[in-house]
Amino acid sequence: MRIPLLLLALLWQPTLHATTMTIGTGGEQGIYYQVIKEFCRLAKKSDPTMPCKLQASSGSIENLRQLKTGEVPYALVQSDWLYQASQGTGPFAAQPQPELRALFATHAEPFTIVVRADGDITTLEQLKLAPIDMGLKSSGTRQTALALFNVLGAKEQDLDLKSVANLSEALCNKQIDAYGLVMGHPNRIVLDTAKRCAVRFLAIEGPVRDQLLKGVRYYQRSQVPARIYPGNLKATPTFAIAATLVTNAATPDDEVYRLTRAMLSQQTSFNEQTYGYANLFHKARNKIGPVLSVEQHPGAGKYFEELKAAGKL
């Protein structure tokens, strides 16, 4: 039986957009999952046929591996791991990923050091002799912390590094004197800590921060925002990485353009209750440029060029 050409066309048309745009995130309770869930909601609001789907993961390194193997076409990753993967350095020395391309940066993740407000720790130097938790040994937080301590003249083996099950409980019960996290704000762990005991943040600024940022594309000046946590009325200077939505160079331009446009054209409707909202890059011009640690994908670049032409960038 012959199928009329018109019917064939109708049957074929949906397959033009049938590719599911699966995005690697992080744990389902984490900020990456929440942020991408919100961007997918906005994408579907803008384009109801948008097949935007989340895939939970253990974080940036797993996301980059899955991009490499083709298990996911998109992922949200930390700018420092992204840069190392693209350059084939650190844990990616054996399998570099020069094909990685950025769509845009979603939000800043300030490196945040939390201490008790009534504790003795008031300077970064004091951390070198104190019991502290700076994330798991293979985590992004640990590597970022070690970059800081390297500037301070301390090696990993010289530090009293702990690995506690509950950061809030351990800090408030004085098992540790500080913990550090690469995080968007507000953050559930810090909010939970602040409910248990008064907290404050250590400033990372001046020559120490300048040295960290010198010649590095994946760090930027940042701050822990003011008035988010009890008792912290002023912003605390620090440095941050940028959470970046990425894909591979082979991903079709029109697909990347469609996803970028759908995600960003409705951003005025972003749910402010989403964790990490305080560090979101709200303005389009802040999502690209130096904040990106790898080349931007042409499909995403097309959308931002349209914004520029319309005087919105």
Side-chain angles (χ1 to χ4, degrees), residues 55-226:
Q55 181 163 307
S57 74
S58 62
S60 294
I61 292 182
E62 182 181 358
N63 288 343
L64 287 163
R65 180 189 62 77
Q66 291 186 339
L67 280 170
K68 178 76 173 176
T69 60
E71 294 173 63
V72 295
Y74 300 91
L76 191 64
V77 302
Q78 291 182 199
S79 56
D80 49 356
W81 291 118
L82 174 58
Y83 180 81
Q84 290 184 59
S86 70
Q87 298 297 309
T89 60
F92 306 96
Q95 289 190 312
Q97 296 175 243
E99 70 280 3
L100 290 166
R101 297 292 183 269
L103 277 70
F104 58 88
T106 60
H107 63 285
E109 294 192 288
F111 183 63
T112 306
I113 301 178
V114 186
V115 298
R116 292 186 302 276
D118 63 355
D120 297 329
I121 303 296
T122 58
T123 68
L124 295 174
E125 287 289 338
Q126 290 173 296
L127 294 176
K128 295 192 287 187
L129 299 174
I132 57 178
D133 190 310
M134 293 289 150
L136 297 173
K137 190 173 182 65
S138 60
S139 69
T141 288
R142 174 68 68 89
Q143 299 308 310
T144 304
L146 292 179
L148 170 63
F149 282 109
N150 183 58
V151 172
L152 295 172
K155 297 181 180 179
E156 185 173 12
Q157 59 266 30
D158 300 327
L159 303 170
D160 187 6
L161 292 168
K162 308 296 185 183
S163 183
V164 301
N166 187 310
L167 290 171
S168 301
E169 184 178 292
L171 184 73
C172 292
N173 290 346
K174 302 183 179 181
Q175 293 174 254
I176 56 175
D177 287 338
Y179 66 78
L181 286 172
V182 175
M183 63 175 81
H185 293 281
N187 177 273
R188 283 194 179 102
I189 296 174
V190 181
L191 287 169
D192 180 56
T193 308
K195 290 178 183 178
R196 295 170 179 260
C197 62
V199 301
R200 54 187 171 79
F201 309 104
L202 290 188
I204 304 173
E205 57 187 337
V208 171
R209 184 168 66 175
D210 292 343
Q211 184 65 25
L212 270 168
L213 270 59
K214 186 177 180 181
V216 172
R217 292 186 60 181
Y218 44 80
Y219 293 149
Q220 58 185 294
R221 285 174 173 76
S222 189
Q223 61 184 18
V224 180

Side-chain angles (χ1 to χ4, degrees), residues 74 103 247 251-260 297 299-300:
Y74 300 91
L103 277 70
T247 187
T251 308
D253 290 5
D254 58 346
E255 180 183 304
V256 175
Y257 168 77
R258 182 181 177 224
L259 180 61
T260 304
H297 193 287

